[in-house]
Amino acid sequence: MRFQLLGPLTLADGHEAVVLQPSKPTVLLAALLLHANTVVSAEYLQRAVWGEEQPVTAKAALQTCVLRLRRLFTRHGVTGTVIEAVPGGYRITAAPHTLDLLGFRDQVRRAVTLSDDPDAELSTLKDALSLWQGSLLTNVRSDVLHRDEVPRLAEERLRSVERVCDLLLRLGRCGEALVELWSATRAYPENERLHEQLIEALYRTGRQSQALAEYRRVKAFLLDELGVDPSPALQQLELAILRGEDLGTGHGPAAAPVRTAEAGAATDRGAGPVPAVPNFTGREAETAAMVARLTAPAEPGEEAPHPLTVLVSGPPGIGKSALAHHVAHLVRDAFPGGRWLVPMTRPDGGARRSDDIAAEVSDALRAGPDGERVLLVLDDVVDADQVRPLLPAIAGAQGAVITTSRMGLAGLIATHGGWVHRLTAFTEAESYALLLSVLGAERVEEEPDAAHRLARLCGHFPFALRILTARLLTRPGLRLADAVGWLGEDPLARLTLTDSPDISVRALLDGALNRLGPRLSEAFQRVAAAPGDTFAPEDSPAVTETVLEQLADAGLLEDGPPGPYRVHELLRSYVRRTAPEHIRRTEKV
């Protein structure tokens, strides 16, 4: 037989459980169990059962209440636990396996000894928290216990929740932390530590604007309700986010506040350390190949005329920047001089000035110790002419380059060499792995078929999947099957973040077409609107093979000669939705 205090007061025997009815013996049992293995004074028990205004017969009534409780034990087969009458009061004995409160505290103490193994500590704390079964003592009618004991127990649980979230953030499992933090911050709006964790988790999952909005909400609450400013830790966190620092497992060095391809834009701020990528999944073959090439020992002999170059290309939203940033972190030991991110476009998608880029590259090459190798990530390159002038200086400093671009940049590879990784949509397994990583195994594995359908509705595009998971994280109670119906009604409109409209599939593709120019943009719309799944030059005299090759080079068409070209279904849906608007815009021009 097991007593459960961490919820309604319950007697449990294996899978059978009896929630005790509200009564004075139930209050007495709760008061004794809350102080198990210690003597509880008769005076305290009387106050717990009858409140501060006790009847004159309270002492005799307590003895009667003890007798009724012993009879209740007999009725439910409780034989291993006795209520002892001792001088001054009563005592009940219990152990971690017979009382959930003692089991919880025992697990928490064990977790402390595992601090050198964060995974083990996290697992132990989660086991401890799993003993909590809902609102405390809802069937125990005692003002004294709810005033004096319940807040203390809730605080014990809260400390463990905070520690669990600390460990999840430390391990980079920010998506899991968000699920717990959304409810915890609303239940404890005055707890600044929980808000700090929530804001950090939002920022590290690529939701900078939402993180700042949450900070402003907390700040307003503290001022309006308590008349105080946010804590120094919260204020420092806001400053780190505004500066775009790479928080990682702590507040690290300043970094350029760069949105990866999943976030849909680059910054116009200068070069900075490469940010980490939370919940990175998939691209195992590409990752292994890039790491092997970037860490391979240099060939003996003369210095190479061009730097070691790896090009990651593909359509918008396919995860080019995320892969480049992830690999940059994996090869950090091979580049002790630093790993620097250089954004090559402005927020509006236009190419940055070549003078500014050259100055930033020069600064990055000089930032590390003399003779130490430096890795540069040239992010979102518009054309080969942006890159060529930078390569001699990088080669002279024994540096290496990862270039990301929507364009194929075949001319750059032809003249300066390098390796090319052309990314396509995720496989079904990769999409499912991303959902598992961000949403958590418990939620996804409960509805695997719905998870696969959601991935297909997103076209297995990493950017679309990231938006979907961000929305689902803010609705932890929403079933995935319900999300399938909701998203399937209008994927293009609903693959957007309502608090950050610029982070959407439509905004990303609008920018991609604007970067093409009117002639290629019109040709792409013609190809995407054509019937069937493929398109060949003979299908329309207005679209030549040269134009089709240019669209394929820009990542908007797949395959090509000798077979037909294909348009991804997500891009085809976009054209069907936006074609009338593009026509009106063209007519105005």
Side-chain angles (χ1 to χ4, degrees):
M1 186 65 71
R2 179 180 177 83
F3 297 99
Q4 295 177 345
L5 268 176
L6 304 180
L9 182 53
T10 303
L11 296 180
D13 186 3
H15 295 294
E16 300 292 329
V18 176
V19 178
L20 298 181
Q21 293 298 313
S23 65
K24 287 181 172 54
T26 298
V27 175
L28 175 62
L29 177 59
L32 289 169
L33 290 173
L34 286 166
H35 302 277
N37 302 319
T38 62
V39 176
V40 186
S41 71
E43 180 185 359
Y44 178 81
L45 292 173
Q46 289 166 200
R47 285 195 295 112
V49 175
W50 286 280
E52 302 296 346
E53 300 293 332
Q54 301 172 29
V56 292
T57 59
K59 185 173 182 180
L62 178 62
Q63 294 173 348
T64 302
C65 196
V66 171
L67 180 60
R68 290 175 60 192
L69 181 57
R70 286 170 174 159
R71 289 173 179 168
L72 184 146
F73 278 14
T74 301
R75 187 163 66 249
H76 290 289
V78 180
T79 57
T81 301
V82 296
I83 302 171
E84 301 175 83
V86 296
Y90 295 87
R91 175 174 58 206
I92 193 170
T93 56
H97 68 281
T98 61
L99 177 58
D100 58 358
L101 176 59
L102 297 182
F104 169 75
R105 289 171 175 167
D106 186 62
Q107 289 280 74
V108 170
R109 282 192 294 270
R110 194 162 73 86
V112 172
T113 67
L114 299 170
S115 57
D116 291 338
D117 186 346
D119 285 303
E121 183 184 0
L122 176 62
S123 177
T124 304
L125 284 175
K126 283 188 170 184
D127 287 343
L129 287 169
S130 70
L131 296 173
W132 291 72
Q133 302 296 319
S135 300
L136 288 167
L137 305 182
T138 52
N139 56 338
V140 178
R141 294 174 180 172
S142 170
D143 292 340
V144 171
L145 295 184
H146 282 277
R147 181 195 66 200
D148 298 340
E149 303 294 343
V150 168
R152 176 172 58 81
L153 292 180
E155 187 66 21
E156 288 188 55
R157 180 183 182 277
L158 190 58
R159 296 286 79 78
S160 294
V161 170
E162 288 180 1
R163 181 58 181 163
V164 163
C165 293
D166 275 335
L167 290 166
L168 288 171
L169 292 174
R170 176 180 172 186
L171 293 167
R173 292 157 62 176
C174 302
E176 290 182 52
L178 279 173
V179 175
E180 185 71 49
L181 287 165
W182 279 121
S183 57
T185 52
R186 273 48 183 176
Y188 301 97
E190 73 288 346
N191 186 302
E192 294 186 66
R193 176 59 188 145
L194 289 173
H195 288 293
E196 186 182 345
Q197 292 173 320
L198 174 60
I199 292 167
E200 179 179 343
L202 286 169
Y203 177 61
R204 288 175 59 189
T205 51
R207 297 151 72 178
Q208 180 178 4
S209 61
Q210 197 170 351
L212 292 171
E214 183 66 17
Y215 174 83
R216 290 192 294 270
R217 194 190 68 78
V218 175
K219 181 178 180 180
F221 170 83
L222 294 172
L223 286 173
D224 294 344
E225 300 296 326
L226 305 176
V228 298
D229 289 321
S231 66
L234 265 174
Q235 294 182 42
Q236 186 62 36
L237 179 59
E238 182 208 25
L239 184 60
I241 292 172
L242 289 171
R243 290 174 173 170
E245 295 182 6
D246 177 11
L247 299 185
T249 56
H251 293 216
V258 177
R259 294 176 178 173
T260 65
E262 282 79 6
T267 179
D268 62 351
R269 302 274 290 273
V274 178
V277 182
N279 302 106
F280 184 87
T281 56
R283 311 297 189 198
E284 292 182 3
E286 293 86 352
T287 298
M290 291 173 66
V291 168
R293 285 161 179 160
L294 290 167
T295 58
E299 294 291 334
E302 296 183 0
E303 294 182 357
H306 305 302
L308 173 63
T309 301
V310 176
L311 169 63
V312 182
S313 63
I318 208 66
K320 302 178 293 295
S321 298
L323 175 61
H325 299 175
H326 179 62
V327 169
H329 277 270
L330 293 179
V331 300
R332 55 186 174 274
D333 291 342
F335 296 92
R339 299 163 325 280
W340 294 89
L341 175 68
V342 183
M344 304 294 281
T345 55
R346 304 186 305 269
D348 62 4
R352 294 181 65 209
R353 291 180 51 193
S354 57
D355 291 348
D356 293 337
I357 296 171
E360 289 170 11
V361 168
S362 179
D363 290 342
L365 294 173
R366 292 198 304 266
D370 290 342
E372 299 284 13
R373 293 187 76 203
V374 175
L375 175 65
L376 293 172
V377 177
L378 306 181
D379 204 19
D380 200 14
V381 169
V382 175
D383 56 44
D385 289 339
Q386 268 193 311
V387 180
R388 286 193 181 99
L390 308 174
L391 298 181
I394 299 172
Q398 300 298 301
V401 180
I402 300 176
T403 297
T404 75
S405 179
R406 297 175 186 178
M407 310 301 294
L409 302 185
L412 179 67
I413 298 301
T415 58
H416 289 73
W419 290 271
V420 179
H421 296 277
R422 184 76 171 181
L423 302 187
T424 57
F426 270 170
T427 64
E428 190 161 336
E430 287 175 320
S431 296
Y432 190 78
L434 188 149
L435 294 175
L436 282 173
S437 176
V438 180
L439 298 178
E442 181 178 351
R443 189 175 183 185
V444 174
E445 290 177 350
E446 186 177 338
E447 301 180 82
D449 291 341
H452 284 295
R453 291 200 299 272
L454 285 172
R456 286 194 291 272
L457 286 170
C458 291
H460 299 290
F461 259 57
F463 178 57
L465 287 164
R466 290 286 184 179
I467 291 176
L468 172 67
T469 54
R471 298 200 68 163
L472 290 175
L473 282 172
T474 63
R475 294 167 174 80
L478 179 66
R479 294 180 65 251
L480 298 189
D482 294 334
V484 170
W486 167 80
L487 181 61
E489 291 175 1
D490 194 346
L492 192 66
R494 288 171 176 170
L495 286 172
T496 183
L497 299 183
T498 54
D499 62 334
S500 302
D502 58 315
I503 303 180
S504 70
V505 168
R506 176 163 179 170
L508 180 73
L509 298 179
D510 279 345
L513 259 66
N514 290 339
R515 192 184 293 189
L516 285 179
R519 183 177 65 88
L520 285 180
S521 177
E522 181 182 348
F524 172 71
Q525 292 172 68
R526 187 186 300 273
V527 171
D533 298 329
T534 62
F535 191 93
E538 57 270 19
D539 292 335
S540 173
V543 183
T544 65
E545 183 173 321
T546 299
V547 169
L548 290 172
E549 278 293 280
Q550 290 174 320
L551 292 173
D553 191 54
L556 297 176
L557 298 184
E558 300 173 356
D559 296 331
Y565 296 86
R566 292 186 296 110
V567 182
H568 191 279
E569 183 55 35
L570 197 63
L571 302 184
R572 196 181 291 276
S573 298
Y574 164 79
V575 168
R576 283 197 296 264
R577 168 62 67 85
T578 60
E581 298 176 22
H582 285 291
I583 291 171
R584 287 195 298 271
R585 199 178 307 156
T586 304
E587 289 174 349
K588 288 180 181 179
V589 174

